[in-house]
Amino acid sequence: MTFFAMADVTQAADAEAGRSIADRWCAACHLISDSNADSRAVRGTDAVPTLSSIARDPNRSPNWLRQWLTFPHPPMPDLNLSRSEIDDVIAYLQGMSR
């Protein structure tokens, strides 16, 4: 019997591309960080969680985030991100949580 280890998909993802996606799409509603000092886009609202708080939330694992971004619920719009783009956003969020 052969077993294969499942690698974390986000290892191959591009966090910088995820940052660009977040700046382009997510920042319309979410503040990127609590201070927004590390973002190129300063928009968003305090009516939804900051991306940095989402990144630090232990209940929002990469699998949870992947599911949410694939099948979001209102009021979050469906951004129709590709699997690769979702993995890039998750890699960016994981980098924020460190």
Side-chain angles (χ1 to χ4, degrees):
M1 190 183 298
T2 304
F3 292 95
F4 295 96
M6 295 298 290
D8 186 353
V9 176
T10 59
Q11 290 177 356
D14 183 345
E16 188 57 35
R19 178 184 175 138
S20 294
I21 293 166
D23 283 346
R24 185 174 63 241
W25 294 107
C26 306
C29 298
H30 295 270
L31 295 172
I32 299 297
S33 70
D34 297 328
S35 67
N36 259 353
D38 67 340
S39 176
R40 296 179 204 121
V42 179
R43 296 175 303 213
T45 174
D46 61 1
V48 297
T50 64
L51 289 186
S52 62
S53 71
I54 292 169
R56 291 189 313 266
D57 186 339
N59 294 317
R60 293 180 176 164
S61 69
N63 287 334
W64 187 95
L65 291 166
R66 190 171 291 106
Q67 179 74 16
W68 181 258
L69 291 170
T70 303
F71 304 106
H73 304 286
M76 174 133 166
D78 185 350
L79 301 174
N80 294 309
L81 298 174
S82 70
R83 183 179 183 103
S84 175
E85 289 170 322
I86 289 170
D87 288 342
D88 292 345
V89 170
I90 292 169
Y92 172 58
L93 291 174
Q94 285 184 314
M96 292 177 78
S97 68
R98 294 183 188 128

